[in-house]
Amino acid sequence: SFNFTDATTVVRDIEVRSGGKIVLAGFFNNVVQGVNSGIVKLNSDGTYNETVVVSGANNTVTRIIPLTDGSLKAMIVGSFTNYNGTPINRIARINDDGTLDTNFNPVNGANAAVFDVALMPNTQMYVGGAFTSFNGAANTVRIVRLNSNGTVDSSCSSGSTGFNGTVL
């Protein structure tokens, strides 16, 4: 009874939400009315959930990480530098309806792809990827700890050289 046939590229991540709703991350062409999209939300039968703003991420969304605070918000990461017309570099927090959560502001964000986020119980998060700089802060090579509002936690350092390869 599940029928989703519109994705023209590889799906990178799937999140199942309450009520059987399904969120797909990747980079889809011509998903809804010719819109390129990094995120789509489906009903349990694979049809589009019309109540959600289709994200216009201008490049691949590789992961969807649901928040653990009881909200329906999620972190998204990838190679995008723009989300629904707003410049945002490779990491964003979105509301359940697909809009940006403006309380999360990573300012300049990462200078290269972000691949994963590990959420901490204290609302901070570790972010890993291929980046060599995050928001221009020193000692943020391929891994950085962010505060819940998206700012860099300067008390955590990856050292002046960081990791010598991508953090996945």
Side-chain angles (χ1 to χ4, degrees), residues 39-42 49-55 95-99:
I39 300 274
V40 292
K41 191 170 185 182
L42 307 175
N49 184 318
E50 301 296 332
T51 64
V52 176
V53 176
V54 175
S55 85
N95 298 308
D96 189 46
D97 66 358
T99 59

Side-chain angles (χ1 to χ4, degrees), residues 2-79:
F2 182 82
N3 186 19
F4 176 70
T5 59
D6 290 341
T8 58
T9 60
V10 176
V11 174
R12 300 296 304 253
D13 199 14
I14 299 171
E15 178 197 352
V16 178
R17 310 289 319 252
S18 62
K21 303 289 190 243
I22 302 162
V23 183
L24 302 178
F27 191 70
F28 313 104
N29 294 310
N30 302 315
V31 174
V32 178
Q33 300 170 353
V35 174
N36 289 332
S37 177
I39 300 274
V40 292
K41 191 170 185 182
L42 307 175
N43 296 311
S44 59
D45 64 358
T47 59
Y48 290 103
N49 184 318
E50 301 296 332
T51 64
V52 176
V53 176
V54 175
S55 85
N58 68 341
N59 210 325
T60 303
V61 175
T62 54
R63 289 286 320 272
I64 309 166
I65 303 96
L67 296 189
T68 57
D69 64 359
S71 72
L72 292 176
K73 296 178 182 183
M75 298 298 303
I76 61 170
V77 297
S79 302

Side-chain angles (χ1 to χ4, degrees), residues 109-164:
N111 69 346
V114 173
F115 292 111
D116 208 357
V117 173
L119 302 173
M120 306 300 294
N122 67 356
T123 70
Q124 288 183 308
M125 62 197 77
Y126 285 96
V127 177
F131 55 90
T132 56
S133 175
F134 196 99
N135 201 23
N139 303 326
T140 58
V141 179
R142 298 182 185 90
I143 192 165
V144 63
R145 186 167 65 193
L146 301 181
N147 297 309
S148 63
N149 64 0
T151 59
V152 173
D153 178 1
S154 59
S155 70
C156 181
S157 170
S158 64
S160 60
T161 58
F163 287 91
N164 66 353

